Amino acid sequence: MTRFVLHRIGQSLLLLLLVSMIGFALLHLAPGGPLAQFALTPGMSQEAMQRIAHQMGLDQPLPAQYWQWLRRLLVGDWGRSYRDSQPVLWVIGSHLGATLELMASSTLLAMILGTGVGVLGAIRRYSLADYAAMVGAMVALSIPTFWFGLVMIYVFSVRLAWLPAGNIATAGDGSLLDYARHLIQPCVVLALVTVATWSRYMRASMLEVINQDYVRTARAKGLRQLQVLVHHSLRNALLPMITVAGVQLPILLSGALVTETVFTWPGMGRLFLDSLGYRDYPVVMGLLIFSAILVLAGNLIADLLYVVADPRIRLT
Amino acid sequence: MSGTVADIPAASFPPARSTRAATRFLRHRLAVAGVVVVVLLIAACAIGPMLSPYGPLTIDLRRRFQAPLAGPHWLGSDQLGRDLLVRLLMAGRISLTVGFVAMGISTAVGVLVGLLAGFYRGWIGTALMRLVDAVLCFPSIFLLLTLAALVSPSLATITLIIALTAWMEVARVVQGQVIALRERDFAVAAEAIGASDGYIMLRELLPNIMAPIIVAATLNVARAILAESYISYLGYGIQPPTASWGNMLNNAQEYLESAPWLALLPGAVITLAVTSFNFIGDGLRDALDPRGDRSA
């Protein structure tokens, strides 16, 4: 067990190193490289540029540059935003909350709906509802998220005028109800893909469990169907979903970026697009690496949780 | 061109098995419907614009924002009075081309990486598969947009970028299959008679893993079309005046109130195309690999 945990953590650190190398390579592909912001300053002479390049260590060989960059990365010095000179980590941190709220609420919604649909599909296999759910899931996976957002806005904001079309809150109105009204649409839009994926995995996982001996034994003992379903089948069928949740994380982050853009939700995704528009490369690269680290950490936690949650797994 | 999708595996199987696979595919009604839709879409995009009196860039300011079915423009017109139907079909040429070409490149790269990683299982294989893991850590849209912002956007660069962010899954599938197959008798025999590594990989192993590759490639078309629509919608993909399904939605949000069809129709076409490819992929999986993993 300890060995597995250590091995898994070591593996993640190795991946982190690779991720940082990819990030570093991309940073140097950016036009002008790390010097871009100074090149735009008027009256900047060639000599001054070279001096700055020397100060920033850009005249050193690439491996040395990478090593310095990595050291700064590890101590939390991610550079400063071109736009407002704030530290990159601080800028990311100030937008993280909104994204996490959106992701958490939509994941919760998706898990509840997805579990329900998946379980129903498994116990009523090949029924009309099961087919409808499977086709629906496939269509849901094929809809461009941003377009689904536009359709939602058209129906619920433009036509019915029930919900606000964007933003996180009405200015001057700090009530929870107002926040909830703003959250509904982006939450549902972001949940769409997750519901589809979750229900498909849930159905498969449930089908596997339903045919196990201990479920038949539970039925044979004369337990009520619902009790067998919840206590014997569902609990075990949910276990592999921990891994699914981890694997879904990058897709969820991608979805959040698009959803936040459509609904002008002030999170990490919008920050990313804004920074891209301003060519604010330190923030863009910071967000790119930050999201990759988030995914890495999410997968690691999911793997460790799975071992804790499922005592049948004996790792050496 | 997609009408023959079901026939592609025929080359790699003895007749009896391919007939069975075709039968199984035809029984998958949604997959067949997908093929029909894709063929119709391709035909419409190829021929349609030639039959229309309007060009995709013909501006007619007197007929701006004509609603669908309410005038000479069948599917309405946009903010410049351009015919929406012709623009949808022209955009379809671009989006479908991006989809197929990106699929071709990403599948080729994925197969190559997967073959090498599965065959040379020492440090080469480990390094390649760790690279796959590392690239998969980046949420695809973040990676796509960063790359798209770094290059000058053109049809070729956008296609390449999409391909470069979509080869990893193919590589994983191929690597897994190669590891399983290379210990089998036929591969060991080929090695024993002195066949070169390249020969074993391409002539012995590759033909035996075509089924999962074809399935993954079909799903990659769907993903590439979606990816193009995302980055073009966000303004970093195909640039106007060239229309793509994604960039037609680019500023449609402004007109959501006054001209909703500008947002609703292109998205519906994207959904239709992507759903079709996904169903075809699903049908091919059932047809080619009946005992395969159907969990998701």
Side-chain angles (χ1 to χ4, degrees), chain B residues 67-270:
Chain B
L69 307 174
H73 299 291
W74 288 359
L75 290 184
S77 64
D78 66 5
Q79 65 272 25
L80 296 173
R82 296 175 295 192
D83 186 75
L84 195 65
L85 178 60
V86 170
R87 276 177 61 75
L88 273 176
L89 296 176
M90 291 303 287
R93 290 183 181 180
I94 300 288
S95 294
L96 289 170
T97 307
V98 170
F100 279 108
V101 176
M103 174 274 280
I105 300 172
S106 63
T107 308
V109 173
V111 168
L112 186 70
V113 172
L115 275 176
L116 292 174
F119 197 82
Y120 301 109
R121 284 180 55 189
W123 66 271
I124 297 180
T126 311
L128 283 175
M129 290 327 281
R130 286 293 92 81
L131 179 70
V132 168
D133 293 342
V135 179
L136 279 173
C137 283
F138 293 95
S140 58
I141 305 266
F142 284 76
L143 200 55
L144 273 173
L145 286 172
T146 307
L147 289 170
L150 296 182
V151 300
S152 58
S154 72
L155 190 56
T157 54
I158 297 301
T159 310
L160 204 61
I161 286 172
I162 292 174
L164 286 180
T165 53
W167 53 274
M168 296 83 73
E169 258 116 51
V170 180
R172 274 193 175 168
V173 170
V174 171
Q175 186 243 12
Q177 297 274 330
V178 167
I179 285 181
L181 284 182
R182 70 162 299 190
E183 306 302 332
R184 295 266 287 271
D185 289 344
F186 70 93
V188 175
E191 209 170 343
I193 60 169
S196 69
D197 289 355
Y199 181 90
I200 299 175
M201 275 189 266
L202 296 177
R203 304 298 294 271
E204 299 288 344
L205 297 175
L206 190 57
N208 281 291
I209 51 176
M210 280 315 281
I213 293 175
I214 290 167
V215 173
T218 314
L219 298 176
N220 259 1
V221 180
R223 280 181 36 164
I225 293 175
L226 265 186
E228 184 278 322
S229 80
Y230 282 118
I231 53 174
S232 293
Y233 166 73
L234 295 170
Y236 291 90
I238 307 294
Q239 298 298 314
T242 307
S244 80
W245 284 337
N247 76 21
M248 287 182 75
L249 287 156
N250 195 295
N251 44 20
Q253 194 163 359
E254 294 172 44
Y255 304 112
L256 211 47
E257 213 154 325
S258 54
W261 60 90
L262 292 181
L264 299 183
L265 289 175
V269 178
I270 299 172

Side-chain angles (χ1 to χ4, degrees), chain A residues 142 145 147 154 200 254 262 277, chain B residues 141 230 236 253 260 263-264 278 296:
Chain A
S142 307
T145 308
W147 182 67
Y154 178 64
R200 279 155 59 112
S254 285
V262 174
Chain B
I141 305 266
Y230 282 118
Y236 291 90
Q253 194 163 359
L264 299 183
N278 274 335

Side-chain angles (χ1 to χ4, degrees), chain A:
Chain A
M1 176 80 182
T2 323
R3 265 184 67 190
F4 168 77
V5 171
L6 288 177
H7 174 77
R8 196 62 191 72
I9 291 175
Q11 210 177 21
S12 300
L13 287 177
L14 183 75
L15 268 185
L16 188 62
L17 200 67
L18 272 173
V19 162
S20 74
M21 282 178 190
I22 297 173
F24 182 74
L26 283 173
L27 188 71
H28 277 259
L29 278 177
L35 274 180
Q37 61 167 329
F38 300 108
L40 296 174
T41 315
M44 185 65 90
S45 69
Q46 202 61 37
E47 293 84 61
M49 286 285 281
Q50 269 164 9
R51 208 169 52 239
I52 294 174
H54 178 71
Q55 278 169 3
M56 290 172 76
L58 294 176
D59 48 358
Q60 290 172 17
L62 271 183
Q65 283 189 43
Y66 169 70
W67 173 238
Q68 288 194 344
W69 175 80
L70 185 67
R71 266 182 25 206
R72 284 202 299 272
L73 199 72
L74 291 177
V75 297
D77 175 12
W78 289 35
R80 281 173 181 275
S81 159
Y82 290 170
R83 248 198 301 177
D84 47 15
S85 300
Q86 299 286 354
V88 167
L89 264 188
W90 185 86
V91 177
I92 295 177
S94 63
H95 288 76
L96 191 59
T99 296
L100 290 184
E101 284 162 24
L102 179 61
M103 279 174 37
S105 57
S106 95
T107 304
L108 190 69
L109 176 71
M111 282 178 178
I112 295 169
L113 275 178
T115 306
V117 172
V119 168
L120 206 71
I123 55 179
R124 298 263 178 273
R125 198 181 180 184
Y126 299 137
S127 67
L128 195 64
D130 184 30
Y131 274 116
M134 281 199 290
V135 173
M138 192 60 109
V139 175
L141 288 174
S142 307
I143 295 179
T145 308
F146 64 89
W147 182 67
F148 184 57
L150 293 180
V151 173
M152 288 279 286
I153 293 176
Y154 178 64
V155 174
F156 293 103
S157 301
V158 174
R159 274 289 144 119
L160 300 171
W162 286 352
L163 296 167
N167 238 319
I168 197 166
T170 314
D173 185 346
S175 69
L176 198 64
L177 181 73
D178 180 61
Y179 173 72
R181 274 165 47 84
H182 283 84
L183 183 62
I184 291 176
Q185 289 202 85
C187 174
V188 170
V189 168
L190 184 56
L192 180 75
V193 169
T194 323
V195 173
T197 321
W198 191 271
S199 67
R200 279 155 59 112
Y201 279 106
M202 192 65 218
R203 177 178 180 274
S205 175
M206 195 70 183
L207 277 175
E208 211 150 277
V209 172
I210 279 180
N211 296 319
Q212 299 274 332
D213 287 341
Y214 64 83
V215 173
R216 190 167 354 114
T217 309
R219 283 227 186 83
K221 280 197 301 189
L223 292 180
R224 294 215 324 276
Q225 282 289 356
L226 194 68
Q227 202 174 356
V228 176
L229 195 72
V230 174
H231 283 273
H232 295 78
S233 312
L234 186 59
R235 276 186 62 176
N236 281 300
L238 276 171
L239 281 174
M241 304 309 283
I242 297 174
T243 312
V244 175
V247 174
Q248 277 286 299
L249 205 59
I251 300 167
L252 197 63
L253 275 165
S254 285
L257 186 152
V258 179
T259 310
E260 286 174 10
T261 309
V262 174
F263 291 99
T264 55
W265 189 262
M268 260 171 54
R270 255 206 83 72
L271 173 68
F272 183 83
L273 261 183
D274 286 348
S275 306
L276 210 58
Y278 280 101
R279 302 287 180 222
D280 191 350
Y281 291 115
V283 177
V284 169
M285 293 304 161
L287 278 167
L288 192 66
I289 294 172
F290 185 83
S291 57
I293 293 176
L294 217 57
V295 170
L296 253 175
N299 280 328
L300 178 65
I301 292 170
D303 275 10
L304 298 182
L305 264 183
Y306 190 72
V307 184
V308 176
D310 194 342
R312 287 172 300 186
I313 295 181
R314 282 278 161 267
L315 295 142
T316 45

Side-chain angles (χ1 to χ4, degrees), chain B residues 1-9 21-22 24-44 96 100 214 218 221 271-285 287:
Chain B
M1 71 170 76
S2 249
T4 57
V5 159
D7 304 326
I8 290 171
R24 271 198 300 268
F25 184 81
L26 289 174
R27 231 183 291 145
H28 202 300
R29 264 176 278 167
L30 287 165
V32 176
V35 172
V36 172
V37 169
V38 167
V39 170
L40 287 178
L41 265 179
I42 291 173
L96 289 170
F100 279 108
I214 290 167
T218 314
V221 180
T271 306
L272 185 68
V274 175
T275 311
S276 302
F277 281 110
N278 274 335
F279 275 129
I280 296 173
D282 224 30
L284 283 173
R285 175 161 31 214

